[in-house]
Every structure is written in C-alpha cells, then in structure tokens.
Amino acid sequence: MRLLIAFALVLGLAGLAYLAGRARGNRMVTAAGGRMGAVHSRPVYHGAYVAVLALAPALIVLAGWGIVGEGLIEGQVLGSLSAAERPAPGNDSEALLNEVRGLVNGDLPQAFNPLAPRLAPVYAAARSNGDLLAGALAVALLAMGGLWGWSRLRPDFRARNRVETQVRALLLVASVVAILTTFGIVLSLIFESIRFFQLVSPVEFLTGLQWSPQTAIRADQVGSTGAFGAVPLFWGTIFIGAIIAMAVAIPLGLMSAIYLTQYADPRVRKWLKPILELLAGVPTVVYGFFAALTIAPLVRSFAVALGMTNASSDSALAAGLVMGVMIIPFVSSMADDALAAVPRAMRDGSLAMGATPSETVKKVLVPAALPGIMGGVLLAVSRAIGETMIVVMAAGLAANLTANPFSSVTTVTTQIVALLTGDQEFDSAKTLSAFALGLVLFVMTLILNIYALAVVKRYREAYE
Amino acid sequence: MNQNPAIGHNTVPKMTARDVNVFYGQKQAIKNVSIDVSAEHVTAFIGPSGCGKSTFLRCLNRMNDTVDGARVEGRIELDGQDVYASGMDVVQLRARVGMVFQKPNPFPKSIYENVAYGPRLHGLARSKTDMDEIVESALKRAGLWDEAKDRLNESGTAMSGGQQQRLCIARAIAVDPEVILMDEPCSALDPIATARIEELIDELRGRYAIVIVTHNMQQAARVSQKTAFFHLGTLVEYDDTSSIFTNPKATRTKDYITGRYG
Ligand SMILES: Nc1ncnc2c1ncn2[C@@H]1O[C@H](COP(=O)(O)OP(=O)(O)O)[C@@H](O)[C@H]1O
Ligand SMILES: [Mg+2]
C-alpha cells in the first residue's frame, strides 16, 4: 500500500517530466520557425527521453526498498532487544515478528508474546523512517535525472535514437526477468533438495522400492520411520503418463492428423482442427473430475466384471485414459505440422507410382515425417508426466509398484501435492522430499524437451 | 492435309485424347484438346508457361484426381480403354502410365528401396532375388547402375540432382510401364545432367511411349519426333517435330518458336 502510493507519486512526477521535455521540444520547434528538420527529434521524443531518465532510477530505488526493506527493518527491530531476550533465529523470530507486524497494521488486537507490544513502536518507527528515506531518495533521483535530461535537450539532440536505446533496454530487462525467475526456481529446488539429501541418501531415494514418507513428528509418537524410495512414484508416473496415456494419444493423435492432412475436405478440416485444439483448452481440473467421477467407476465396474472383486476405484487406467485424451491435441498438432511439411512432391511421386492414399501415408509420408512426429510425442510425454490434476483426482495415493492398470498407483506430482498440503514442519524429511521429487521431475522434463526440440529442429532443417 | 491436328501420323496410337476440357473450379485450363500419342515416338508438349501443358499431361494418368477442385471432361483412352471409365482402376492405370516430375522427388529411403517401391506395391517380385534383378535392370536402363551399384543402401536424397532425376526415372521404369510422362524433367538440372537425361530419353524411345513437357524448344527439337504446341489452354499445332520447327503452319507457333513471345 505504502509502496503503491510511492509508485503513484513517482509516476505522476515522471509524467510532469515528460510534459516539461515535450514543452521544451515544442519551444525549440517554434523558435526554429516551425521548419521540419530544424529540430532533430519530434517533441514527444524529447518528452519521453526526459521522463525515462527521471523514472528509471526512482523505480530502481523503490523496487530495491520493496525487496530488501522488510529485512532491514526486522534486523533493526530484533537488534533493539538485549541478547538474552532475543528469540532464536528461524521460527521463533518469525512468529514474534509476525505478531509485531500484526499489531502495527492493526490486524491483531492482542499479542501472545509479551515482547511484541514493546517492539511494535520500534517497528513502526523503523518502517516509517525507511519509507521516508526511500521515498525521498527516489524523488531526489527523479529530480536529478529529469533535470539532467532536460538540460541536454538541444535542437540537434538525437532524442529519438536515445529513446530507441531505452526501449531496447526495457525489452531486455523484461526478458531477463523471466529468465532470472526460472533460474531462481531451479536454484531453490536444488538447495532444498540438497537439504533433503542430507537426511536421506540419494541412492535410497533413487533406487528404493518403498515409499512411505510418514515420519514421526514427536519422538514418542508411534508410527513409521519413513521410507523414501521413490521408484514406485517414478514407475507410476511413467506407467500413467508415458505408457497408458501414450497408448491412447499416439494412435488417436496420429490418425486424426493423417485424416486432417490427407483425407479431410478443406471445409471439414477448417472445422475439425479448431475443435480438436479446443481439447487443449479444457482446464485440467475438468479432465480430473471427469476421470474421477465418470471414467474411474466405469473402469472399476469393468475390472469387477473381469473378476477382480477388490478393484479399487482409483486406477492407473482411468487416469491414464483421460490424460491420453488430454494429450491428443499435442500429438495431433505436431504430427499435423510434420505431415504438412513433407513436400507435396513426395506424395505425388508415390501416388503416381500407383500407390493408394493409405499406402502413401504408411510408406512415404509417415516415415518422412517420423522425426517431427517423434518430437511431438516426446513433448507430449513431458507434458503428461508433469500433469497433476488428473492424477491427483483419479490415480490415488498408494505407492504400488505394479503393472496392473486396474490397481491404484501414484505419481511424482500427486505425491508432491500430498506432501505439501496440510500442516507440516518445513524442515522435515517428508516436506523436503517434495523438492527432491520436483527436481527429478524438472530434470526429466527438461531432458525430454531438449531432446524433442533437437529432433524437431534437425527434421525441419532436412526440408529447409 | 489433315484437318484434325490430333491425327498427325498413321500408326496405331498408344493414347488418344478427344475433346478434353479441364477446369480448376470455375477457371478453364484446357479447352477442347484432341491428340494422339504414339508408342514408338517421343512426343513433346511445348508452349509458354501457364498454357496448360502440365495440366493436360496430368490427365493422362489421372493425377488431376489428386488436385482439389480439378475437373476433367472428354475422353482419354489407353489402348482403346477409357481411362476415366468407372471400371478403370487408377492404381493399375498409374502402373501402366508412369510419371517423372519437374523437381526430382526421390523418397527419403535408400536407392534400392526407391526403385523397389513400385514393384513392391504391385507385387511384381516373388523373392528377394527377383527384386534384386528388377532393381538392377531398372537402374541399368536408367543409366544409373554404375554410379549406384556400390551405394544401394544409401539414401536416394543424398545423390546429386541429375542422379536423383535418373533415380526417379528408374523408379518409374521398375514397374515396366507402357507410357512414361515427364513434366519438365530437366528444368531443375545443370546442362551436363540435362544432356545425360536427354540421352537417356533417346535410349528409352521405342520401348516406352514417352511424353515430355518442356519449355526449352531446343530440347524438344533434340529429343522428340512429334511436337505439340499449346497456347492459352488450346492445342494450336501438332506435327512432326521437324515440320514444327522448320515449317510451322500456325502463325502463333511460328511466333513462339522464333522467340517472339513466351
Ligand atoms: N492446382 C491448380 N489450381 C488452380 N489453378 C491451377 C492449378 N494448377 C494449374 N492451374 C492453372 O492452370 C493453368 C495451366 O497451368 P499449368 O498446367 O501448370 O501450365 P504449364 O505447365 O503449361 O506451365 C495456369 O493458369 C495455372 O494457373
Ligand atoms: Mg508446368
């Protein structure tokens, strides 16, 4: 809120800077008798140049304060306590600071910790001092930047080119933000995974066959000690995402792509293709409840009819089938592109030899498009193994190492959800294992994606 | 002198076309074309680009069936059999009337598999030895055997353009067709590869009825015995190649071969 007000103020001042720059540009044009070309850049560029020089440093200061400010305030607040009173760093300090913050903001009528009411004024003072300081610094820099830019304006000043450079810098920053975010996510995954691997050996994690992450929270609690062998999860993920789902998606996706590219009347294609692509737009949670409420009972009755009287209502098959349907558009649109990229001359050559359309598809088009189709399938697999909602709702939580499609299995994503929902100590092996699972999943999909893109790219080059 | 430009010779024709019209949607690309193609000769179709040479050629093996919106009217016969009759099997027709395209289009398969493609489709070989023989003789007749015999398992697409085009000719020959249609087979090739193909066409003459579309008049003069001149979708003149080039009857033909337009 405070930050929002500061932002609004800074933006308003930058708007003034823009007007001032533009006005000066206009005056220069008038002074030059209004001749085109007498002033290098149009007045709007003068305005924009001044505004950007004013805005950029102020925004950096405010953003910086928004990021590190809270930490500085907290340090100051805790520093005001004597060493004896100071709570241990970590959870205790966090709890105290939360109460202090609650008191200052008025969210909390009364605090439990007797230290909190004492610290509240310290916190409030530190915060308002900090805000004031940051705000003042931002406005000062804004004024300096704006004035400096304003003072540089001359009829021959190349404001247009400068603004172009500024725009480029802005675009660069935007793309760097996305990259840095990804990088940060990966780093946090790695750090938390390292903490996990200090508690559980990577060998056990990657090769163990037993997954039961329930660890005792209190020392006197009865219960398991926890087993972190993730193989059943990896198997469940592959079983559902790479085997059952692909058994549905590859034939259906490929055949619909063949129909659409080779057989369908252009008018039919115009309708069918968007409808097929609509499948990709259905929210996965909708697929999830479709799997859980419609398909899973059907699969179960089928299993019972087959004589498996104890068939569970969660099954790998139900989740895999629905996931396969969800993945069809990925496979079919990649296969569609790949088939369409095979030169028409290839198809004509085969037809002119007396091949029927389906012989042509089978013997020439699909083999020629195979790398592209493979790429699509790999991307679909990586999408399927990262998919969460369907398996959470339909596959179950039991970490069975089984190839029976009617039994319940669990996947990496389902377990991550299960591990992180509910109350948990943040540094228990159970919670940390979610990060290790996430890391494995990330590495798997990354490898699949890189490989798939390389395959597709090599294929594209083959037909220039 | 014969009134009908189609009847240019007195042997029994291999293929005959009568009053053929071709439409692409509303647009008429071929107007009332009648022509006889002889079995012993190489027949050249010449004419400025866009005059319908390819369109007409594709009628002869019904490749226009694969073009969206194309419609063919009139009668085309192969040995007296109506090509467009409902009883005519397109697969069989195309086995009898082979085609070589403008741009070499070998399949992304080995040289051997490219040549074996047609024989496999039509079940011409009973054993591996049969197939080896068919592939070898097709490559020999296409003048490619010496260059290809040591690399039969390499991809056909890795060959030079001229070799690829001869591979496509070998592929067409392998099913032992009666007619071979060639649509500007040299337009993507350099002069040396072109000369090689022209030689090959001359060697194949007599064994197959050959129809070649070309925009290169010297080429028509070199390889063909009969030449048909198309203009704006009509057949203007059809005669012995020597007469067309030395003594054209229509002024449009004369203008074209003397290079006044096109
Ligand atoms: N697939 C098609 N759809 C619509 N018009 C076509 C198609 N193919 C050719 N045409 C038209 O038919 C006419 C004859 O073309 P074409 O037979 O390719 O001429 P040529 O081979 O003599 O250069 C041209 O006007 C061309 O634009
Ligand atoms: Mg043409």
Side-chain angles (χ1 to χ4, degrees):
Chain A
M1 194 59 215
R2 298 163 289 126
L3 215 55
L4 267 185
I5 293 171
F7 268 124
L9 178 71
V10 163
L11 280 179
L13 289 175
L16 289 181
Y18 169 79
L19 292 178
R22 197 183 61 175
R24 183 153 186 205
N26 275 325
R27 277 201 305 281
M28 290 189 296
V29 174
T30 323
R35 264 185 312 112
M36 288 294 268
V39 177
H40 174 271
S41 304
R42 278 162 47 221
V44 283
Y45 283 113
H46 288 116
Y49 174 71
V50 175
V52 171
L53 282 191
L55 195 56
L59 281 186
I60 291 171
V61 167
L62 288 183
W65 174 244
I67 293 169
V68 301
E70 196 63 28
L72 294 178
I73 296 172
E74 288 171 1
Q76 207 177 334
V77 169
L78 292 177
S80 74
L81 293 171
S82 68
E85 291 168 319
R86 200 173 300 153
N91 283 346
D92 293 348
S93 302
E94 259 328 298
L96 175 61
L97 286 167
N98 269 335
E99 287 198 331
V100 171
R101 222 170 287 141
L103 288 176
V104 172
N105 292 339
D107 306 335
L108 197 68
Q110 210 175 349
F112 294 102
N113 196 322
L115 287 174
R118 228 181 74 202
L119 289 178
V122 182
Y123 181 91
R127 192 167 77 178
S128 65
N129 284 344
D131 284 354
L132 211 62
L133 211 67
L137 187 62
V139 171
L141 284 176
L142 187 144
M144 276 161 60
L147 280 175
W148 184 67
W150 192 78
S151 72
R152 294 187 70 192
L153 301 184
R154 301 268 179 285
D156 61 351
F157 181 69
R158 296 169 172 253
R160 184 171 6 99
N161 312 33
R162 299 299 172 107
V163 170
E164 194 56 37
T165 314
Q166 289 165 344
V167 167
R168 212 170 59 202
L170 177 74
L171 297 179
L172 180 69
V173 168
S175 56
V176 166
V177 165
I179 293 170
L180 282 184
T181 310
T182 315
F183 201 65
I185 292 172
V186 174
L187 275 187
S188 90
L189 267 184
I190 290 175
F191 280 126
E192 301 296 338
S193 301
I194 289 173
R195 285 174 66 192
F196 172 71
F197 288 129
Q198 284 160 356
L199 302 173
V200 175
S201 98
V203 177
E204 188 206 328
F205 177 71
L206 291 174
T207 61
L209 302 183
Q210 183 75 34
W211 178 262
S212 92
Q214 255 53 26
T215 40
I217 294 176
R218 296 188 314 273
D220 58 336
Q221 199 175 11
V222 284
S224 48
T225 44
F228 291 93
V231 170
L233 312 192
F234 299 148
W235 164 248
T237 304
I238 289 168
F239 190 37
I240 293 181
I243 297 179
I244 300 178
M246 289 305 133
V248 174
I250 293 174
L252 290 182
L254 187 56
M255 284 192 266
S256 64
I258 288 171
Y259 175 73
L260 286 175
T261 55
Q262 306 300 320
Y263 291 89
D265 192 275
R267 273 169 305 168
V268 177
R269 177 182 162 89
K270 212 179 93 199
W271 281 99
L272 274 187
K273 208 167 139 66
I275 291 177
L276 192 62
E277 273 155 16
L278 216 63
L279 278 181
V282 177
T284 58
V285 66
V286 174
Y287 281 111
F289 66 67
F290 179 64
L293 301 181
T294 310
I295 302 299
L298 283 179
V299 168
R300 189 184 125 82
S301 343
F302 184 67
V304 170
L306 286 181
M308 286 172 244
T309 42
N310 59 347
S312 84
S313 60
D314 294 327
S315 65
L317 193 57
L321 287 177
V322 174
M323 194 186 283
V325 172
M326 182 191 87
I327 295 297
I328 286 174
F330 289 81
V331 177
S332 81
S333 84
M334 290 291 287
D336 193 309
D337 289 350
L339 286 169
V342 178
R344 199 194 142 91
M346 217 65 90
R347 185 175 83 119
D348 286 350
S350 171
L351 292 173
M353 293 300 299
T356 62
S358 71
E359 283 169 334
T360 300
V361 165
K362 195 174 74 193
K363 296 187 169 189
V364 175
L365 297 182
V366 169
L370 201 59
I373 295 171
M374 278 296 298
V377 167
L378 291 177
L379 285 180
V381 170
S382 99
R383 174 71 210 262
I385 65 177
E387 166 53 33
T388 310
M389 271 338 278
I390 296 175
V391 283
V392 165
M393 295 173 85
L397 283 171
N400 291 324
L401 193 55
T402 171
N404 175 1
F406 295 106
S407 81
S408 150
V409 300
T410 193
T411 68
V412 172
T413 52
T414 313
Q415 285 303 313
I416 292 177
V417 171
L419 291 168
L420 293 183
T421 42
D423 289 335
Q424 268 303 318
E425 269 183 290
F426 204 69
D427 44 7
S428 72
K430 181 183 166 189
T431 312
L432 288 174
S433 69
F435 290 93
L437 288 175
L439 185 65
V440 172
L441 196 61
F442 173 76
V443 170
M444 266 161 77
T445 49
L446 186 71
I447 290 173
L448 273 173
N449 279 334
I450 291 174
Y451 183 62
L453 291 178
V455 166
V456 173
K457 180 155 169 275
R458 189 150 13 103
Y459 164 75
R460 291 247 163 82
E461 279 162 4
Y463 292 114
E464 76 231 26
Chain B
M1 203 189 99
N2 218 315
Q3 290 311 106
N4 186 341
I7 292 105
H9 47 78
N10 41 25
T11 54
V12 178
K14 186 73 191 171
M15 295 194 83
T16 60
R18 287 294 174 273
D19 302 321
V20 172
N21 291 295
V22 183
F23 302 84
Y24 290 114
Q26 296 300 312
K27 189 179 160 218
Q28 185 162 8
I30 289 291
K31 293 170 193 143
N32 265 317
V33 170
S34 298
I35 198 167
D36 287 355
V37 172
S38 115
E40 295 95 81
H41 296 134
V42 174
T43 306
F45 291 174
I46 61 170
S49 135
C51 67
K53 307 178 296 289
S54 302
T55 300
F56 185 71
L57 193 74
R58 284 199 302 265
C59 293
L60 300 179
N61 66 345
R62 290 183 56 173
M63 277 301 280
N64 278 331
D65 293 11
T66 69
V67 178
D68 287 327
R71 188 161 51 85
V72 179
E73 285 173 0
R75 192 175 173 85
I76 296 177
E77 291 178 356
L78 171 63
D79 282 340
Q81 265 177 294
D82 184 358
V83 161
Y84 280 85
S86 55
M88 172 57 80
D89 180 5
V90 194
V91 168
Q92 235 129 57
L93 171 69
R94 291 184 191 151
R96 291 172 66 188
V97 183
M99 188 164 208
V100 175
F101 294 80
Q102 188 163 354
K103 220 177 134 221
N105 60 348
F107 303 131
K109 297 171 180 287
S110 70
I111 294 174
Y112 184 97
E113 283 303 320
N114 262 284
V115 181
Y117 188 79
R120 275 198 217 296
L121 280 178
H122 301 290
L124 300 184
R126 239 170 249 107
S127 64
K128 172 89 173 93
T129 8
D130 271 6
M131 186 60 85
D132 289 349
E133 265 168 39
I134 292 175
V135 170
E136 179 173 342
S137 83
L139 284 171
K140 276 185 175 150
R141 265 182 278 155
L144 197 57
W145 179 247
D146 292 333
E147 290 146 88
K149 65 171 183 283
D150 297 322
R151 45 188 291 206
L152 289 176
N153 292 319
E154 284 172 38
S155 172
T157 51
M159 304 174 102
S160 74
Q163 288 174 325
Q164 287 187 17
Q165 196 59 302
R166 276 180 284 143
L167 178 61
C168 292
I169 294 176
R171 184 174 74 185
I173 287 174
V175 293
D176 209 21
E178 296 156 40
V179 183
I180 301 178
L181 311 173
M182 300 188 182
D183 191 350
E184 305 197 20
C186 303
S187 65
L189 305 182
D190 63 63
I192 294 173
T194 299
R196 194 84 184 68
I197 302 268
E198 288 179 3
E199 253 169 60
L200 175 58
I201 291 171
D202 209 49
E203 284 159 25
L204 297 176
R205 171 164 58 94
R207 178 159 188 148
Y208 311 99
I210 296 177
V211 182
I212 176 172
V213 167
T214 174
H215 59 241
N216 177 334
M217 282 174 290
Q218 285 74 36
Q219 182 169 66
R222 281 193 300 264
V223 302
S224 73
Q225 290 74 49
K226 297 275 174 191
T227 295
F229 171 61
F230 285 79
H231 187 229
L232 299 177
T234 59
L235 174 59
V236 176
E237 189 167 349
Y238 181 39
D239 210 335
D240 292 336
T241 300
S242 52
S243 329
I244 291 268
F245 281 97
T246 55
N247 188 19
K249 294 184 186 64
T251 42
R252 277 195 284 173
T253 318
K254 193 188 217 154
D255 287 349
Y256 182 67
I257 60 171
T258 52
R260 214 155 301 164
Y261 66 96

